[in-house]
């Protein structure tokens, strides 16, 4: 179950999205990351894909946070995050 109680920890979004993807044995979850800006101040854009469908995008100063935000956006798309 994906209750709101665990959503407070941002480290949980990618795990929750992975669990959601695993509910359908044939679903493939992947992240693609792009970098923009100067090397001393990069901006990362992460995109979460479920199979070939873009389900979330996140932008941050770190890859980890950008992927976490992409996962959070994907969970919101599926009605699992407010």
């Amino acid at each position: 179950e994906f209750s709101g109680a665990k959503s407070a920890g941002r480290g949980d979004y990618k795990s929750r999205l992975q669990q959601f993807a695993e509910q359908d044995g044939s679903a493939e979850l992947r992240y693609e990351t792009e970098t923009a800006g100067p090397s001393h101040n990069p901006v990362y854009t992460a995109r979460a894909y479920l199979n070939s469908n873009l389900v979330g995008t996140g932008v941050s100063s770190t890859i980890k946070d950008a992927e976490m935000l992409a996962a959070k956006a994907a969970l919101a798309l599926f009605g699992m995050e407010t």
Side-chain angles (χ1 to χ4, degrees):
E1 166 152 37
F2 301 105
S3 66
K6 289 205 142 218
S7 66
R10 70 184 177 100
D12 201 44
Y13 296 125
K14 284 181 71 175
S15 296
R16 289 175 60 206
L17 184 58
Q18 182 67 43
Q19 290 172 348
F20 175 75
E22 289 173 356
Q23 289 178 356
D24 176 355
S26 64
E28 176 193 351
L29 175 64
R30 74 180 197 287
Y31 294 88
E32 293 183 0
T33 306
E34 294 179 4
T35 307
S39 59
H40 67 277
N41 191 21
V43 175
Y44 298 97
T45 300
R47 292 177 181 84
Y49 291 88
L50 193 55
N51 296 324
S52 61
N53 301 307
L54 176 63
V55 293
T57 302
V59 178
S60 182
S61 60
T62 69
I63 293 173
K64 181 179 178 179
D65 286 346
E67 288 181 348
M68 202 65 62
L69 291 170
K72 182 178 180 182
L75 290 168
L77 176 69
F78 294 116
M80 301 170 65
E81 184 60 37
T82 57

